[in-house]
Amino acid sequence: MTPTIDWNTNVNGNLSQVNQVFLDDRKINRLGQSFAPSTNVALSWTLYDGRRMQTRYERLKSEGQQSQIEKKLVVQMRWQMSCRPIIKY
């Protein structure tokens, strides 16, 4: 939901040579060139994205809570396993 700025720049060039001979023996020899730079700046800012960002945050929050619970269960199981008496026959 932050603004985004895009900047595009293009440079185009053209070189052409014209050689013409007419029926009355006139000749035209021309050399032409063109150079056309262009640039564009665009600003876009999403004002409303259909609660996508809030939904993603809530999902990550619940996954974080689940991982905390799983971590506690693993610690408890390892503690219980380490406290068991070792029985030798």
Side-chain angles (χ1 to χ4, degrees):
M1 301 268 272
T2 59
T4 303
I5 297 175
D6 294 321
W7 178 23
N8 297 320
T9 303
N10 295 319
V11 177
N12 293 322
N14 187 12
L15 182 63
S16 61
Q17 183 176 3
V18 176
N19 295 321
Q20 290 180 330
V21 177
F22 293 99
L23 293 175
D24 58 359
D25 286 335
R26 287 184 297 146
K27 295 181 181 178
I28 297 177
N29 295 325
R30 293 185 183 154
L31 181 63
Q33 66 181 8
S34 67
F35 180 71
S38 65
T39 186
N40 179 24
V41 177
L43 171 69
S44 62
W45 194 343
T46 303
L47 297 177
Y48 180 71
D49 66 348
R51 289 188 40 88
R52 185 180 335 155
M53 193 165 80
Q54 290 85 2
T55 305
R56 192 175 298 157
Y57 174 75
E58 290 171 3
R59 187 179 71 213
L60 289 172
K61 188 175 163 183
S62 68
E63 288 176 1
Q65 290 171 348
Q66 288 175 354
S67 68
Q68 289 294 326
I69 292 170
E70 289 175 3
K71 184 174 88 173
K72 287 180 182 179
L73 287 172
V74 167
V75 169
Q76 285 178 356
M77 288 182 65
R78 286 191 180 170
W79 176 256
Q80 288 175 355
M81 294 293 287
S82 66
C83 291
R84 283 187 182 172
I86 301 174
I87 301 173
K88 293 185 178 179
Y89 295 101

